[in-house]
Amino acid sequence: MSNPLSGPKALTRAVVDAQSWYIDPTVIRKRWSEWEYNLVEHGEGKGKLYFATMWDNAVARPHPLLVDPSLDVPHEPHEFYNYEDEFIFKLYNKDLFKGCPVGLQLIGRRLEEEAVLRMTEIVEDTLGKWKCVHYLDICTMAAWREF
């Protein structure tokens, strides 16, 4: 949808502010909540940030934020749901994707889209700081080697 998170936030606000429940009675009546966006029920976004995998079921395994060919080995072919599932399975090449970012899915409580958007902003900010620090470390090491 958009690289900066301001895009999905603006879209979500526009959809909610349109009050489509007046047009379609099956739409849940829910206005934008700054209270939920500010993570009031979630410690207001303060404290330590944790990443977790809900469980290790041999399909979803904890791994670093970048593809590591030694860890991210493809699973054996299995029974596919459909041809698209098989096509996507065959796209993965551990050596081709080495060092690429790993996707991240944030899940929130039902009807707490505002909180999920805010949590996404926190994760983006945190990863941006991590990337910046590690980029500087890499640049420093490269400069030291040249010295």
Side-chain angles (χ1 to χ4, degrees), residues 20-21 24-29:
S20 54
W21 50 82
D24 182 355
T26 62
V27 172
I28 295 173
R29 184 182 293 250

Side-chain angles (χ1 to χ4, degrees), residues 75-121:
H75 295 286
E76 293 295 320
H78 55 281
E79 185 177 332
F80 299 103
Y81 294 110
N82 53 39
Y83 68 92
E84 291 166 334
D85 182 33
E86 183 177 5
F87 177 77
I88 292 169
F89 176 84
K90 290 179 178 177
L91 280 176
Y92 181 69
N93 176 326
K94 64 180 180 149
D95 297 317
L96 178 65
F97 292 103
K98 179 182 178 181
C100 288
V102 174
L104 176 67
Q105 180 181 13
L106 291 176
I107 302 170
R109 292 180 184 159
R110 182 173 180 262
L111 301 176
E112 278 198 359
E113 287 75 13
E114 301 92 339
V116 173
L117 283 168
R118 181 66 187 118
M119 287 185 264
T120 305
E121 291 171 352

Side-chain angles (χ1 to χ4, degrees), residues 5-108:
L5 279 172
S6 58
K9 181 180 177 186
L11 175 65
T12 304
R13 293 271 332 230
V15 169
V16 170
D17 290 346
Q19 300 179 351
S20 54
W21 50 82
Y22 288 120
I23 299 166
D24 182 355
T26 62
V27 172
I28 295 173
R29 184 182 293 250
K30 183 180 184 308
R31 299 182 192 285
W32 178 266
S33 170
E34 283 296 319
W35 188 71
E36 289 174 7
Y37 178 76
N38 290 322
L39 302 173
V40 172
E41 287 191 354
H42 305 283
E44 297 177 354
K46 298 173 185 164
K48 293 182 179 181
L49 181 62
Y50 292 95
F51 291 96
T53 298
M54 296 301 282
W55 70 89
D56 181 348
N57 64 0
V59 175
R61 292 180 182 256
H63 50 75
L65 297 174
L66 300 176
V67 173
D68 179 345
S70 66
L71 296 174
D72 299 316
V73 180
H75 295 286
E76 293 295 320
H78 55 281
E79 185 177 332
F80 299 103
Y81 294 110
N82 53 39
Y83 68 92
E84 291 166 334
D85 182 33
E86 183 177 5
F87 177 77
I88 292 169
F89 176 84
K90 290 179 178 177
L91 280 176
Y92 181 69
N93 176 326
K94 64 180 180 149
D95 297 317
L96 178 65
F97 292 103
K98 179 182 178 181
C100 288
V102 174
L104 176 67
Q105 180 181 13
L106 291 176
I107 302 170

